[in-house]
Amino acid sequence: MIESYLLKHLAGYIDGQWVEADSGKTADVFNPANGKQLAAVPYMGADETKRAIAAGRAVLPDVPDVDTRREWLEDTRDALLAEKEEIGRILCLEHGKPWKEAQGEVEYAASFFDYFAGTMADALAPETLPEKAKNCTWTVHKRSIGVAGLITPWNFPIGMIAKKIAPAMAAGCPTVTKPATETPLTMIAMFQLMHERLDLPKGMINLVMGSSSDIGGELMRSPDVPMISFTGSTGVGQLLIEQSKDWVKKLGLELGGNAPFVVLDDADLESAADNLIANKFRGAGQTCVCANRIYVQSSVYEEFSNKVIDRVKALKVGDGMDEDVNIGPLINQAGFDKVKDHVADALSKGAQLEAGKHPDELDASKSLFYSPTVITQVTHDMKCCKEETFGPLVPLIPFETDEDALKFSNQTEFGLASYVFGKDEARADRIVANLHFGHCGYNTGTGPAAHAPFGGMLQSGVGREGGHDGLMEFIELQTVPNGS
Ligand code: NAD
């Protein structure tokens, strides 16, 4: 079982109190590196969620001013950075990612508190419009939208909540958060820090965990929750849209991806290969911005493939708590079996296995460590091109012309992240401008950052996180024409 001074309470947090599930039921949390139980946390449902929403609703009229809220953000940033090692350790144990990467995620989380603390006062100031239409002075106020429901996935246990709770707090929204069932401990640690170090009014932040459908259903049905910010799969996002039909809500949906990574023949191949490895194997390939389909122009296909294969063979897989490990385990058997299925499907349709193990040698019931795998001669009929693999698989697909690269990249209903590598900027720009993806890295495999809006097009979602737009998700504009 996990021991940590940041986990004094293995509990939910409602109306300023640490609470168990009404039923007394718990859910076990496991370390994916060894299958051992780390903790048992409350398994809550609709009633606890109703109380959390009511606590948020009750505090709404007393939410303090911008200056106080800015201090909360600064104090949270400082607390996260001061406790980076311990939070990183908890995160590594419940998620499996290498502990250095986990600590990087804590810094990433802190950067959202820092960004919104630094920009919120200006961003939230009312704006008087220069036009005096209809003999009035027109002022646009930025009002808090009210209680916000925040639902997060397991792949960034602290990064994803930071993107949501920092702007919500900045905007003055009380929140009800539901973490992923697989990774609630990092979130509990963050709530403990906020409970101890911030002078928050009761009900300002609430944490419920347990039945996804009961908690989610309650958040979606409640007229007291006008905004839901969700990150997760497109399937669950679509379900939430359906569930919100009886009460008009603002929905921020950060959903699945199927990222193309295009390597043009004039690209710096060394740099493109390094960027691919850093991008692809972060979180063992379990991130929404991970390159999923790697398109390489045929004249450099072999040279680039060899660079990638050499790098992949040098990667070290193991328990994230061990030194020098690059890749941890996958989160669970379903995730493992999906990667295995994608590799088996590609091999059965003619792809070549260049690095990694044959799927027949891998068995999730023995271990969730999946060997980083490279396959070549991949074609579009293979599952790894059509679906998000969410694991350590690099499928390399040759293409002939720039038009082909663009056509293949856009051959998906998803539109989250994409990448283009090539020296000729004007040429690359013509591709970038026509890609239907909300994020397009040019000569970089980097993902989002706190100061910039990030989000998907098409089936990858609606709304943006980060930057000014990320704050505005939690704001209602109120326009006041003043005729006096
Ligand atoms: P998921 O959709 O299974 O779960 C996400 C969250 O929703 C979890 O907290 C889960 O418990 C909850 N949930 C599940 N069923 C629910 C229901 N009926 N009602 C309410 N909540 C429910 O996704 P996941 O497996 O945790 O995460 C992986 C997916 O998330 C991938 O598709 C990935 O691309 C996507 N993702 C997207 C982004 C982005 O920024 N767009 C970021 C990270 C992950």
Side-chain angles (χ1 to χ4, degrees), residues 164-415:
K164 299 180 188 304
I165 205 166
M169 233 181 204
C173 298
T175 48
V176 178
T177 295
K178 192 204 95 58
T181 318
E182 294 85 348
T183 56
L185 302 177
T186 312
M187 190 89 84
I188 295 175
M190 188 180 99
F191 268 69
Q192 183 176 317
L193 284 175
M194 291 167 117
H195 170 75
E196 286 173 356
R197 302 192 191 183
L198 274 50
D199 193 15
L200 291 172
K202 286 182 179 177
M204 191 69 207
I205 58 167
N206 301 277
L207 177 64
V208 288
M209 57 196 84
S211 163
S212 297
S213 53
D214 290 353
I215 295 169
E218 197 54 45
L219 287 170
M220 296 316 292
R221 269 192 303 276
S222 173
D224 288 330
V225 182
M227 200 279 171
I228 296 286
S229 175
F230 168 82
T231 301
S233 58
T234 297
V236 174
Q238 286 168 327
L239 180 74
L240 300 186
I241 293 171
E242 245 176 80
Q243 288 178 340
S244 69
K245 73 178 170 24
D246 292 335
W247 195 268
V248 176
K249 283 179 197 286
K250 193 169 180 182
L251 298 180
L253 302 175
E254 298 289 338
L255 309 177
N258 181 357
F261 188 105
V262 175
V263 182
L264 297 168
D265 54 9
D266 65 341
D268 175 339
L269 298 185
E270 284 288 313
S271 167
D274 287 340
N275 272 282
L276 175 63
I277 299 298
N279 166 287
K280 175 72 235 186
F281 292 103
R282 199 159 156 235
Q286 302 170 109
T287 87
C288 57
V289 295
C290 276
N292 199 54
R293 304 167 281 149
I294 295 84
Y295 295 110
V296 188
Q297 202 142 21
S298 53
S299 55
V300 294
Y301 184 79
E302 197 177 333
E303 189 184 348
F304 183 73
S305 300
N306 288 336
K307 288 183 192 301
V308 173
I309 292 163
D310 288 348
R311 282 163 171 79
V312 170
K313 284 184 174 163
L315 293 171
K316 189 171 166 200
V317 182
D319 187 324
M321 288 303 291
D322 293 344
E323 276 295 324
D324 300 330
V325 159
N326 306 110
I327 302 179
L330 296 182
I331 191 75
N332 54 30
Q333 169 145 12
F336 188 99
D337 288 345
K338 186 175 187 192
V339 186
K340 199 172 146 177
D341 177 49
H342 280 197
V343 178
D345 171 75
L347 297 184
S348 75
K349 290 174 180 158
Q352 298 294 313
L353 183 65
E354 308 282 1
K357 292 194 177 145
H358 191 280
D360 291 348
E361 294 177 63
L362 292 159
D363 180 354
S365 66
K366 294 194 181 124
S367 136
L368 291 174
F369 292 102
Y370 201 102
S371 312
T373 302
V374 181
I375 49 177
T376 53
Q377 306 311 327
V378 174
T379 51
H380 277 102
D381 54 331
M382 298 175 185
K383 285 184 185 172
C384 60
C385 279
K386 294 184 187 163
E387 299 167 25
E388 187 182 35
T389 303
F390 233 54
L393 169 64
V394 179
L396 294 161
I397 310 141
F399 71 88
E400 297 301 328
T401 65
D402 293 13
E403 289 67 34
D404 287 344
L406 181 61
K407 186 176 83 186
F408 295 154
S409 296
N410 279 340
Q411 229 167 54
T412 172
E413 69 268 32
F414 294 101

Side-chain angles (χ1 to χ4, degrees), residues 2-11 18 79-91 106 158 184-197 207:
I2 195 166
E3 293 282 334
S4 171
Y5 59 90
L6 290 182
L7 296 173
K8 278 187 207 145
H9 310 271
L10 287 172
W18 293 102
L80 291 178
L81 292 176
E83 300 294 347
K84 183 176 79 173
E85 277 187 28
E86 185 59 6
I87 301 176
R89 187 177 75 87
I90 297 167
L91 203 165
V106 183
I158 198 156
L185 302 177
T186 312
M187 190 89 84
I188 295 175
M190 188 180 99
F191 268 69
Q192 183 176 317
L193 284 175
M194 291 167 117
H195 170 75
E196 286 173 356
R197 302 192 191 183
L207 177 64

